[in-house]
Amino acid sequence: MKRRLDETWAVLLAAGSSTRLRDAGGGVRKQYIEYKGVPLFWHSARTLSRIAAMKGVVFVFPEADLKHMRRTVKDLFKTDDLGLRFEVVAGGERRQDSVRHGLEALPRECDAVLVHDSARPFASASMIQSLVEALEDGAQGVVPAIEVSDTIKRVDGGAVSETLVRSELRAVQTPQAFVTDILRRAHERAEAEGWDVTDDASMVERLAEVRIVPGEAANIKITTPGDLEALKQPRTLVPCTGWGYDVHRYGGERPMVLGGVPIAGAPQIKAHSDGDVLLHALMDAILGCFGGGDIGRHFPDTDPRWDGADSSILLREVLVLAEKAGVRIVHADLTVIAQVPRLAPHADQIARNLGRLLALDPHQVNFKATTEEKLGFTGEKKGIKAVACVTALREI
């Protein structure tokens, strides 16, 4: 039976000591190593923010770093607003202690939680979305898992005692997703009964079934000095450009939303989905970067599933397609054309939200609004239109 999740949060673990990596990282803990201009943990936070259901993140850092990291996270949100609520708390001696501290910081209404290691910066939004969907489909807990390629043997001292059946084995990754209540109860039992585990699923397995979804080979954990090479891996990239255009008529039943931002007092829109003309143009531009057709092909207005659909969720689907095609968006330039409403007061908020949805920095997103000097259907206040130009790099 489908479960409605109203408040999904993540606990992002960045409280490890990084003993094996500190020398290779110049004495810096691995979660703080700079990668593409920001600390490693911030890459996971960005990816989590691209999940439509995600409402907030609890960052867990070493207690000794807490004061400094509270300032750091606030500064990061000022320059790269993820559109999420957040808390910053101190970790504990063990990983499970750090998770427990993170759970204590969650709001009371949080009904689902993802626990993720910041040392796994390459987890994709599409994989994380599959975890959320598994919870919505009724799972109490769900983990990403990949098949084991090596033969695994149980040993006793210096001798093999058993060869395990490889087809029955999986290597699990993070994020791991749970109904919040079951994870809290598992941690309470662990404290009361002295459990010592290496991941949260190991606790929840004792109380409820934990399901799996396909993990990703690229979702590696930065653990040893050799793993740092993954942060330097060269890729062959070619530039590509996509262009999008969309129009909506006024006089409908949908409140105006532009770039995921509600526009109070604006004319209502006639549309099958939520009528976000800006995100519709943006999606077509993204699809154009890899020959993906248009949104009419992917989300036809004859399909009742898209009746009133949130366009930010549709954008997430398009971004998954782009990700699978090896496309990385690097810039978006968007313009709304309308005589009414006046959009200047909303421009900054729209630009910030577009940046969050696309996981881009502010300088990579440009939003403009203009009129057509009372000419044409927009000038006659009959409707609104938008154009978008997206620049991307595609792996070959």
Side-chain angles (χ1 to χ4, degrees), residues 78-116:
K78 286 179 183 177
T79 58
D80 186 14
D81 189 357
L82 302 183
L84 300 174
R85 290 140 61 195
F86 68 93
E87 299 287 342
V88 179
V89 301
E93 183 177 344
R94 301 170 298 173
R95 181 187 188 279
Q96 68 196 70
D97 299 325
S98 294
V99 176
R100 190 178 69 255
H101 294 180
L103 291 176
E104 290 168 355
L106 293 174
R108 295 175 63 89
E109 63 271 19
C110 176
D111 47 16
V113 57
L114 280 68
V115 180
H116 188 42

Side-chain angles (χ1 to χ4, degrees), residues 269-300:
I269 301 295
K270 185 176 178 61
H272 183 64
S273 66
D274 65 358
D276 191 326
V277 67
L278 188 58
L279 290 190
H280 294 179
L282 174 60
M283 285 186 275
D284 271 350
I286 294 169
L287 290 167
C289 290
F290 59 94
D294 59 38
I295 59 173
R297 180 191 304 178
H298 296 278
F299 315 110

Side-chain angles (χ1 to χ4, degrees), residues 84-155:
L84 300 174
R85 290 140 61 195
F86 68 93
E87 299 287 342
V88 179
V89 301
E93 183 177 344
R94 301 170 298 173
R95 181 187 188 279
Q96 68 196 70
D97 299 325
S98 294
V99 176
R100 190 178 69 255
H101 294 180
L103 291 176
E104 290 168 355
L106 293 174
R108 295 175 63 89
E109 63 271 19
C110 176
D111 47 16
V113 57
L114 280 68
V115 180
H116 188 42
D117 295 320
S118 65
R120 292 187 186 269
F122 304 122
S124 73
S126 56
M127 185 191 75
I128 298 172
Q129 180 64 28
S130 70
L131 295 168
V132 173
E133 290 172 356
L135 292 182
E136 291 173 340
D137 287 339
Q140 293 286 306
V142 56
V143 299
I146 59 174
E147 293 184 355
V148 176
S149 58
D150 295 324
T151 297
I152 307 297
K153 296 182 183 291
R154 191 187 306 277
V155 298

